[in-house]
DNA sequence: CCGCGGATCTTCT
DNA sequence: GAAGATCCGCGGA
């Protein structure tokens, strides 16, 4: 796959309403290039978080050190540590100061599967390599080092989102409540590709 | 297959 | 002190 096909999406893609980005990012490819090699997968599940109106969003109660990147400009990464152990990757959306982002919850692995398995465990099935927000970060080698990283003009050896070559344009998209939250628990702000086996959970 | 607890860092009450 | 945008391994059905 030539690098031309993996060109980063422009900042305009991120500087839109978060619900639109969360839906539109399905079918795009997340890429991480590091010294270990290149890993990538098709985004099959994502959730929207909009601090201005959303009590489940990390920025809802204002700026803290952890959530600083979410308040920054669109087209950057917001990576946070979850439950002390795992990392979760968000794409910052809207405009600087809005603290809106899209959480990536699952990928269909396409490149660097052997490297993903080296990071995740040799016995992990393909289906489980990137199924879940913490798992996909582990599989791609995404850590707090990537918090705040620019996804549009990425440094060499970093992280971005690209158009997926030959991806079907008319892929169906489903919605459901977001996973694992207690506030705004009935909002249909989770988007996923129905029937795709790499999606982390089926709707309740 | 399902439910539960442990790991362990940030934020909130 | 407790909860949280999680995951894994264990025990029981």
């Amino acid at each position: 796959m030539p690098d031309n096909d993996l060109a980063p999406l422009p900042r305009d893609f991120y500087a839109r309403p978060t619900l639109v980005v969360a839906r539109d990012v399905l079918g795009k490819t997340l890429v991480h290039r590091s010294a270990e090699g290149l890993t990538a997968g098709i985004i099959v599940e994502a959730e929207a978080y909009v601090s201005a109106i959303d009590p489940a969003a990390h920025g809802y109660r204002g700026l803290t050190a952890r959530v600083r990147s979410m308040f920054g400009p669109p087209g950057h990464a917001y990576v946070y540590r979850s439950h002390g152990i795992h990392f979760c990757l968000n794409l910052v959306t809207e405009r600087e100061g809005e603290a809106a982002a899209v959480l990536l919850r699952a990928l269909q692995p396409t490149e660097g599967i052997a490297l993903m398995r080296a990071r995740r465990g040799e016995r992990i099935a393909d289906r489980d390599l990137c199924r879940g927000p913490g798992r996909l970060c582990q599989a791609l080698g995404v850590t707090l080092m990537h918090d705040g990283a620019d996804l549009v003009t990425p440094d060499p050896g970093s992280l971005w989102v690209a158009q997926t070559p030959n991806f079907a344009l008319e892929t169906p998209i489903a919605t459901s409540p977001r996973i694992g939250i207690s506030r705004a628990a009935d909002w249909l702000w989770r988007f996923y590709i129905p029937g795709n086996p790499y999606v982390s959970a089926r709707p309740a």
Side-chain angles (χ1 to χ4, degrees), chain A residues 102-137:
Chain A
V102 170
L103 170 70
L104 302 187
R105 286 197 55 92
L107 309 177
Q108 176 176 330
T110 53
E111 297 284 332
I113 291 175
L115 177 53
M116 292 185 189
R117 193 165 274 116
R119 288 168 172 151
R120 291 264 302 122
E122 295 297 335
R123 296 165 40 185
I124 306 291
D126 280 11
R127 180 170 182 251
D128 295 328
L129 283 173
C130 300
R131 192 164 59 90
R135 290 166 169 179
L136 77 85
C137 283

Side-chain angles (χ1 to χ4, degrees), chain A residues 1-191:
Chain A
M1 188 182 297
D3 271 12
N4 281 346
D5 289 346
L6 290 175
L9 295 180
R11 203 168 309 280
D12 288 352
F13 177 85
Y14 302 96
R16 296 184 294 164
T18 306
L19 291 169
V20 173
V21 178
R23 175 182 291 265
D24 208 20
V25 82
L26 299 183
K28 303 293 190 293
T29 292
L30 177 68
V31 190
H32 181 221
R33 182 162 43 205
S34 74
E36 299 175 297
L38 187 139
T39 45
I42 301 170
I43 298 164
V44 297
E45 178 184 355
E47 291 177 351
Y49 289 88
V50 180
S51 297
I53 59 170
D54 179 5
H58 283 169
Y60 184 67
R61 287 171 192 77
L63 180 63
T64 64
R66 176 182 68 161
V67 78
R68 181 179 66 252
S69 300
M70 195 178 179
F71 280 83
H76 289 246
Y78 163 47
V79 182
Y80 71 95
R81 188 189 300 272
S82 174
H83 289 260
I85 305 181
H86 308 287
F87 301 119
C88 294
L89 169 63
N90 294 258
L91 316 175
V92 176
T93 59
E94 311 257 359
R95 295 167 304 284
E96 184 168 6
E98 288 295 308
V102 170
L103 170 70
L104 302 187
R105 286 197 55 92
L107 309 177
Q108 176 176 330
T110 53
E111 297 284 332
I113 291 175
L115 177 53
M116 292 185 189
R117 193 165 274 116
R119 288 168 172 151
R120 291 264 302 122
E122 295 297 335
R123 296 165 40 185
I124 306 291
D126 280 11
R127 180 170 182 251
D128 295 328
L129 283 173
C130 300
R131 192 164 59 90
R135 290 166 169 179
L136 77 85
C137 283
Q138 189 182 15
L140 268 65
V142 172
T143 69
L144 287 184
M145 284 178 41
H146 298 95
D147 184 37
D150 190 347
L151 307 170
V152 178
T153 56
D155 293 331
S158 198
L159 186 67
W160 71 97
V161 179
Q163 204 55 252
T164 302
N166 304 317
F167 190 80
L169 290 176
E170 299 297 325
T171 300
I173 293 172
T175 64
S176 84
R178 293 171 291 183
I179 305 277
I181 58 166
S182 57
R183 307 174 201 237
D186 58 337
W187 297 7
L188 302 179
W189 281 18
R190 172 175 175 255
F191 301 86

